[in-house]
Amino acid sequence: LVCNTIPTIHNEGDAPVFARLADGSWLQWTPQLVWEDNTPDNHIIDGGGLVQKITDEETRCSNVPRNFLNEDSCTFSTEETACAPAGSAAEFDIMLDESNIAKFSHLTGQYVYAIKGLVLETPDTQNPCQTTDYTRWEKKANTICPNPTPLEADTIAALKHMLRTTGDKSNPYLVDVKFPAGYTCNATDVGKLDIEIDVDGTCYNQVHPNYLSVYDATAWADDSKHPGGRNNIMKWAECAVDPVDRSATFDSDYCNHTKRVRDVEPRTFPGWHLIFPSNTTGYPNHQMNFWEENSKLYWVPVKVGNDGFGPGSRFGDPVGFRDLIDTVKVSAVSEYFFGTSEVAEVGVVVCGSIGEVKNDPLLGATFDAENEEERTTGGSQHNQQKAKIWTGITAFEGQDQLRQRMAWALSQILTIVPGNIDAFEETEIYVSYYDIFVRHAFGNYRDILQEIAYSPLQAEHLTYLASKSHAYIFQDENKRVSSADENFAREIMQLFSTGLVVLNPDGTPKLDQDGNPMQVYTNEDIMSLSRAWTGFQRYGARGNIESRGSSNRLDPMYIVQDWRDRFPKTDLTGGYIGDSYYPLCTDLPDKMFLRSGAKYRLLGADPLPELMEDNPDFANPSYEIKRFELDADESSLHSELYNNGDYKAVVVLEQNLPCYGEECNVDTVRVVQVAPFVYYE
C-alpha cells in the first residue's frame, strides 16, 4: 500500500521521497542516472522495453539498431515487453493518415485525433532563432510561398541551412528542426513568428510545435477535466451529430462532412482531427496557455515515450504497433491492420552496442548527462567532461600507454570538430568515437575507415549526412539539378588514406614522364566517388545513452535506399569500383541460396527485407501476399534456419543443401518464412 503512494515518475519540484529501514535508519531517493549493460554479448534481453513501461514511457527503447558491428551477436527476444529500435524495419508500422487515425477511434473507443488550430505567440521561446528547442515547419513541395516573410540575408541563410541539412526528412508534411550551431539571425528578425520561407522549391511555414501531433484525447473529454464540460469538447470529436447543422450527413469511415459555422462559408472538418479554438473564426476564443497547461496533463501522444514532438507521433509518420500507447495498442487494432491479434507477442531482434556498460551508482555522480529535460552541471564545466575523461582516465593514467598513444595519434588524423556538430555539449558520443581508435590501435586501418565512415559525427562534420543522389533530388524536388556532397569523398583520400601524391615503395613521390609528381586523384574522381557517400542517415534516438533530441549520434548510420546513387563509380585505376571483386548476379551458380556460404539474416516478425527494397504494403497481411514458406518437415534449409527454435541472428550455410518442393523451381529467394512471424532474408 505504501508503494502505491510513491509516484512512478519524480519530477523537478516534487517532494523528496524518504524510506525508513527496519533498523530505524533513513534513506533518501536520489535521481541519479542508472545505466544498464547493453553490449553486443550482454544486451538487454527485451531491448529496454520493460524499463520503458515501468517508467510510464518516460524513457526510450534501448534496443540498438542492427549494424555491421553487432549483427552476429543479436538475439531473438519473445519477451512480452520487447521493443524494436526506432525506425527499424522489424516493426509492424501503421501510417498516421486521415483514414488510420479515424480507425483508431472507431476500433478502440478512444478519442484519437491530430490537433490543429494552435498558434504561435511567444517569440522568446518559439522564434527559431531564439529558442533552444525544436521548431516545427509545415512543408509543401513544389510550391512557391504565397507570402514569404521579409527576412534579412543572414537570417535567410541560417534558416535555409537548418531546413536543408535536417535529418528529419521522411514525413511529407512536417519537419522538426533545431537552429544550427555557428549561425545567427539578424536582430531585426528575432521577434518574428509564423515565418514562411522558400527553400529549393519547397515552401516551409513555421507552425506550433504540436500542430498535427496525434493524441489520445479521451482524458480531456472527461467532464471533470474540461471546464466547459464533456459536450463542449466531444461535439467537435464525435461524428454522430453536427453541433451547428444537425441535418448534415457523414461518411461513416472518415466522418467527413461540410458544415456552416455561423455565417462563415462551408468548410470540411474531417473526423481525424480536432481544431483548438484559438483565433479561429466561428469558435469561442481560447488562449494558448489553456493548451500549454492542459495538453501535458490530459493529451497523451499515441507513441510511447513521445511528447508529441519528433518522428512517430505526427500526422504523416509511421508508428510501430509495439510503440503505441496501451489504450491504442489493442487486439482490435492488431486484427484490423495485420490480420492477427498476436502482433504484440511476436519476437523482436534485439542487439547491443560496443562499450555500452552499466555505471556504478555507489561511485557517486561524477559525470553529468545531456538530455531533453535538464542538466545539473553548468555549460562550460559540462563541456570539460570530454577532456577530463580523455586525460584523467585514459591517455595519462591508463595502464595501456602504448595503445593510448597510438589511439591519440590516429585521432589527430581522422578528426572531427565538435563545433561542427549540433551536439557540442554531449560527452558520450565523442568518447565513443575516440574508442574506435582505442579498439583498433593495433588492428586493421580499413576497419577504422569503415567505422568512421558510418559514424554520425563524421557525417555531420564533413556534411555527407543525408546527401542524396541527383536522380532522387531531380525527381523529388521539381527537376532541381544537384550534385552529391564532395567533402568526405575528398577528405577520406587527401587526409585519411592516400594523400595527394602517388608514392613509390620507399615513400618518395612517383614522377610522370615530365618529372612532375603524379596526383592520386582528380576533381572528376572526387565528383564520381562523392556519389558513393549518398544515402547515409542517422537512426532515431534511443534509451540507455546520453541523448538530447530525436537523433541518434552514437550508433552507426544506415543507408536510405531511395537516396542512394545507383550508378557506377570510377576507381583510381581507370576502372569502376567492384570490377575485380564482385560477380554479376548472372554469374552466380544455380540455387545459390542453397550453396555453401549462403548467408541469411534474421528479420524477426517483419516479412520485408532490410538489404533489398520491397513495397511497404507487402508487409500488410490484408493484402494476402504469398510468402515463400519453407516446409517444416522436409526442407533442409528450414532445418538449418529453424535450429530447433533457437533462431540465430546470422546463419551461414556450411555445405550445399538439397532443394525441396518449390525451392527447386526458383532461381533465388529474398525472404523465407520459417515459422509464423519468423522470417529470414
Side-chain angles (χ1 to χ4, degrees):
L1 294 178
V2 173
C3 292
N4 293 335
T5 67
I6 301 175
T8 307
I9 300 298
H10 198 271
N11 295 310
E12 183 180 10
D14 289 351
V17 178
F18 295 96
R20 186 169 62 179
L21 300 180
D23 61 2
S25 59
W26 285 87
L27 303 175
Q28 180 179 356
W29 175 82
T30 171
Q32 186 175 341
L33 292 171
V34 177
W35 308 100
E36 295 187 82
D37 271 332
N38 198 27
T39 62
D41 296 326
N42 188 30
H43 47 259
I44 303 170
I45 189 171
D46 67 347
L50 177 60
V51 172
Q52 188 178 34
K53 184 174 182 179
I54 65 176
T55 57
D56 281 352
E57 300 159 1
E58 290 286 328
T59 60
R60 294 187 175 104
C61 176
S62 303
N63 196 352
V64 181
R66 182 161 46 176
N67 55 69
F68 62 95
L69 296 175
N70 65 12
E71 70 170 359
D72 289 338
S73 57
C74 297
T75 57
F76 188 60
S77 175
T78 55
E79 297 289 320
E80 182 179 353
T81 55
C83 59
S88 169
E91 268 290 3
F92 283 79
D93 287 342
I94 301 171
M95 181 59 67
L96 295 177
D97 57 21
E98 297 99 325
S99 174
N100 292 341
I101 294 172
K103 282 296 180 185
F104 281 158
S105 296
H106 174 72
L107 295 168
T108 65
Q110 302 293 111
Y111 296 100
V112 180
Y113 287 92
I115 186 72
K116 287 187 175 183
L118 305 174
V119 297
L120 299 167
E121 292 184 337
T122 54
D124 288 348
T125 59
Q126 294 178 331
N127 176 274
C129 309
Q130 294 272 80
T131 182
T132 57
D133 293 327
Y134 286 81
T135 55
R136 176 165 293 179
W137 300 71
E138 188 173 25
K139 59 183 180 181
K140 298 177 182 178
N142 305 324
T143 301
I144 301 299
C145 293
N147 299 296
T149 305
L151 300 169
E152 298 298 325
D154 46 353
T155 304
I156 292 174
L159 296 181
K160 284 189 174 183
H161 176 79
M162 174 183 74
L163 293 166
R164 282 171 176 157
T165 58
T166 177
D168 184 18
K169 298 284 191 179
S170 60
N171 189 301
Y173 312 108
L174 302 168
V175 58
D176 292 342
V177 291
K178 229 177 186 185
F179 194 77
Y183 283 79
T184 57
C185 290
N186 193 282
T188 61
D189 295 324
V190 296
K192 296 178 179 179
L193 295 173
D194 301 302
I195 294 172
E196 195 172 278
I197 184 172
D198 286 301
V199 182
D200 304 326
T202 295
C203 179
Y204 289 86
N205 182 39
Q206 186 194 6
V207 293
H208 189 276
N210 300 130
Y211 172 76
L212 283 182
S213 290
V214 183
Y215 297 92
D216 181 348
T218 308
W220 183 234
D222 189 284
D223 284 339
S224 65
K225 304 297 190 304
H226 187 254
R230 180 183 183 85
N231 181 63
N232 281 321
I233 180 70
M234 294 317 304
K235 67 183 181 182
W236 306 115
E238 292 181 337
C239 300
V241 177
D242 186 314
V244 177
D245 180 7
R246 292 181 175 271
S247 65
T249 58
F250 310 98
D251 180 286
S252 60
D253 285 336
Y254 302 95
C255 307
N256 287 329
H257 60 281
T258 301
K259 61 187 178 185
R260 183 177 295 278
V261 181
R262 296 181 183 175
D263 295 325
V264 184
E265 73 280 0
R267 294 185 243 168
T268 298
F269 286 79
W272 58 272
H273 71 262
L274 294 175
I275 297 178
F276 182 79
S278 175
N279 299 324
T280 305
T281 304
Y283 293 87
N285 183 55
H286 283 42
Q287 298 300 315
M288 280 306 299
N289 65 338
F290 191 66
W291 167 262
E292 306 297 348
E293 294 169 1
N294 292 290
S295 63
K296 295 180 175 62
L297 298 175
Y298 307 117
W299 294 67
V300 184
V302 294
K303 182 181 179 182
V304 167
N306 189 289
D307 57 2
F309 208 73
S313 269
R314 305 169 301 188
F315 175 75
D317 281 339
V319 59
F321 180 81
R322 285 178 174 273
D323 292 334
L324 291 171
I325 55 176
D326 288 342
T327 56
V328 183
K329 189 173 60 176
V330 298
S331 59
V333 171
S334 176
E335 286 278 5
Y336 176 81
F337 286 101
F338 308 113
T340 175
S341 61
E342 299 177 354
V343 170
E345 301 173 5
V346 300
V348 171
V349 177
V350 178
C351 308
S353 174
I354 295 176
E356 193 170 319
V357 297
K358 65 181 179 181
N359 64 324
D360 185 352
L362 297 179
L363 296 178
T366 305
F367 297 101
D368 204 350
E370 186 80 9
N371 61 72
E372 294 96 332
E373 301 300 328
E374 64 174 307
R375 185 179 65 208
T376 57
T377 305
S380 60
Q381 185 177 358
H382 186 79
N383 288 334
Q384 294 175 10
Q385 286 190 159
K386 296 182 280 290
K388 290 179 179 178
I389 292 173
W390 179 70
T391 57
I393 298 177
T394 57
F396 292 167
E397 298 182 7
Q399 298 301 306
D400 51 348
Q401 279 297 295
L402 181 57
R403 178 181 295 276
Q404 294 299 333
R405 296 185 182 207
M406 187 64 187
W408 181 86
L410 289 167
S411 72
Q412 304 308 295
I413 300 171
L414 301 125
T415 59
I416 54 172
V417 178
N420 290 346
I421 296 165
D422 189 22
F424 179 78
E425 303 87 353
E426 295 184 26
T427 300
E428 184 177 10
I429 54 176
Y430 297 103
V431 297
S432 177
Y433 182 83
Y434 188 83
D435 278 346
I436 296 173
F437 311 124
V438 175
R439 288 198 306 273
H440 296 293
F442 308 132
N444 189 309
Y445 192 68
R446 184 194 181 284
D447 293 337
I448 297 177
L449 288 179
Q450 182 179 14
E451 286 203 40
I452 66 106
Y454 276 83
S455 166
L457 300 188
Q458 190 64 250
E460 194 169 350
H461 168 58
L462 289 180
T463 63
Y464 63 101
L465 178 68
S467 178
K468 303 177 183 66
S469 68
H470 165 66
Y472 177 85
I473 292 178
F474 188 82
Q475 181 178 5
D476 191 61
E477 299 184 14
N478 196 26
K479 299 183 179 180
R480 181 168 71 89
V481 176
S482 66
S483 57
D485 189 277
E486 298 176 5
N487 257 358
F488 189 66
R490 179 184 299 106
E491 303 300 347
I492 195 173
M493 293 188 292
Q494 179 178 341
L495 299 181
F496 299 167
S497 58
T498 63
L500 296 172
V501 179
V502 180
L503 301 179
N504 292 308
D506 63 358
T508 59
K510 192 171 185 178
L511 307 179
D512 61 20
Q513 59 184 5
D514 297 323
N516 299 315
M518 296 176 62
Q519 300 299 307
V520 173
Y521 57 86
T522 65
N523 284 335
E524 287 73 19
D525 292 320
I526 294 173
M527 293 178 64
S528 178
L529 292 170
S530 68
R531 295 187 288 109
W533 301 106
T534 53
F536 285 81
Q537 179 62 300
R538 295 182 296 226
Y539 283 99
R542 64 176 178 87
N544 207 51
I545 60 175
E546 180 186 26
S547 177
R548 183 167 61 89
S550 59
S551 295
N552 180 338
R553 290 182 169 87
L554 184 73
D555 299 317
M557 297 180 292
Y558 68 102
I559 293 176
V560 179
Q561 297 175 4
D562 287 345
W563 298 354
R564 186 77 171 163
D565 187 286
R566 305 186 182 192
F567 294 98
K569 289 86 178 171
T570 56
D571 59 23
L572 300 180
T573 62
Y576 290 90
I577 294 175
D579 280 353
S580 304
Y581 303 99
Y582 301 106
L584 299 175
C585 293
T586 54
D587 297 330
L588 294 172
D590 183 45
K591 303 292 181 295
M592 59 87 177
F593 66 96
L594 295 172
R595 298 270 182 164
S596 175
K599 181 178 179 179
Y600 289 84
R601 299 171 77 248
L602 179 64
L603 295 173
D606 197 315
L608 298 184
E610 294 179 353
L611 302 182
M612 290 179 280
E613 186 175 12
D614 263 353
N615 188 319
D617 288 340
F618 290 177
N620 192 333
S622 64
Y623 282 86
E624 298 183 355
I625 301 297
K626 185 175 178 61
R627 311 294 179 194
F628 198 99
E629 186 173 353
L630 301 177
D631 188 284
D633 297 321
E634 302 293 340
S635 171
S636 297
L637 180 58
H638 178 276
S639 179
E640 290 287 334
L641 299 179
Y642 182 67
N643 194 35
N644 295 319
D646 182 17
Y647 301 109
K648 302 300 182 185
V650 176
V651 176
V652 179
L653 300 185
E654 297 181 355
Q655 59 185 357
N656 295 340
L657 300 178
C659 64
Y660 177 80
E662 289 299 320
E663 298 170 11
C664 302
N665 300 326
V666 297
D667 294 324
T668 187
V669 295
R670 289 183 298 174
V671 174
V672 295
Q673 182 175 348
V674 180
F677 297 110
V678 181
Y679 298 90
Y680 276 87
E681 68 171 328

